[in-house]
Amino acid sequence: ETGVTQTPRHLVMGMTNKKSLKCEQHLGHNAMYWYKQSAKKPLELMFVYNFKEQTENNSVPSRFSPECPNSSHLFLHLHTLQPEDSALYLCASSQDDGKPQHFGDGTRLSIL
Amino acid sequence: QQQVKQSPQSLIVQKGGISIINCAYENTAFDYFPWYQQFPGKGPALLIAIRPDVSEKKEGRFTISFNKSAKQFSLHIMDSQPGDSATYFCAASYPGNTGKLIFGQGTTLQVKP
């Protein structure tokens, strides 16, 4: 398997649920990213990890909790989400200079 | 504050025509400008990228034109095909290893047969 793989592809959850999104990259990259893609808005960077260390938190609410156990895996733990959090969540990876970034196909998240 | 402005929001082109999408940026510190193509149900895929020391870069039917003084760059798709119908995003990146990409709002391209 190659590239950036995200699971699940679709997720429906209630506002009180706890769930996790998973991302795995097979490109040998050192940096991984979470983005949020909402309709009619630019992609928004959420978190950056470089060599497993978080280097960027773009003022993301604490109900989103990232975890990067190694350079190949990235998780986004979700709890007590709001309806406005419904979006496509994209994972990306790159070499440590960030150029270029390669994206997965995303997890479509719907909050009931 | 929108640091990268993209236009038009949508574009319809006949097969064989030229599609042109424009982006303008504000921060002169940006040092890398990629374009991404996204099909429905898929993540963005890198199409072509340019650095500010180059005024033009061509890869097949896709060309980036870069105007550093005007802080603008554009994507030209020559001989547009129905298979090019997708959403296109420009982006700009800060120097160093911050990995921070600032995206434009996207352009939905429809190429009519």
Side-chain angles (χ1 to χ4, degrees), chain B residues 45-108:
Chain B
L46 180 67
L47 197 59
I48 187 172
I50 198 167
R51 297 205 183 249
D53 54 345
V54 177
S55 62
E56 185 175 281
K57 183 174 182 180
K58 183 176 181 179
E59 290 184 1
R61 295 185 295 109
F62 302 92
T63 300
I64 299 179
S65 296
F66 189 86
N67 186 328
K68 189 173 181 179
S69 61
K71 295 189 287 185
Q72 295 176 346
F73 59 110
S74 60
L75 176 69
H76 296 237
I77 306 174
M78 311 300 288
D79 187 27
S80 298
Q81 300 297 312
D84 297 330
S85 297
T87 301
Y88 293 81
F89 295 93
C90 64
S93 178
Y94 290 96
N97 63 351
T98 66
K100 194 169 182 177
L101 266 180
I102 309 299
F103 281 85
Q105 290 185 297
T107 296
T108 302

Side-chain angles (χ1 to χ4, degrees), chain A residues 32-35 45-49 54 56-58 60-61 64-66 74 76:
Chain A
M32 297 189 77
Y33 313 79
W34 281 116
Y35 286 87
L45 178 67
M46 299 176 71
F47 301 104
V48 180
Y49 278 82
Q54 188 180 119
E56 182 89 21
N57 178 336
N58 201 23
V60 180
F64 294 91
S65 176
L74 185 65
L76 188 62

Side-chain angles (χ1 to χ4, degrees), chain A residues 15-59:
Chain A
M15 292 170 60
T16 58
N17 290 158
K18 289 184 179 181
K19 296 286 185 183
S20 296
L21 310 185
K22 179 183 176 182
C23 177
E24 184 174 0
Q25 61 95 2
H26 305 271
L27 298 169
H29 290 159
N30 302 314
M32 297 189 77
Y33 313 79
W34 281 116
Y35 286 87
K36 177 182 179 182
Q37 186 175 29
S38 305
K40 312 251 185 245
K41 292 177 71 175
L43 275 78
E44 300 172 63
L45 178 67
M46 299 176 71
F47 301 104
V48 180
Y49 278 82
N50 210 328
F51 290 96
K52 302 188 299 179
E53 299 298 319
Q54 188 180 119
T55 56
E56 182 89 21
N57 178 336
N58 201 23
S59 304

Side-chain angles (χ1 to χ4, degrees), chain A residues 9 37 96 99-101 104-105, chain B residues 32 36 38 41 43 94 96-97 99:
Chain A
R9 292 297 314 277
Q37 186 175 29
D96 54 343
K99 308 171 178 76
Q101 293 180 22
D105 287 335
Chain B
Y32 175 74
Y36 284 85
Q38 186 176 26
Y94 290 96
N97 63 351

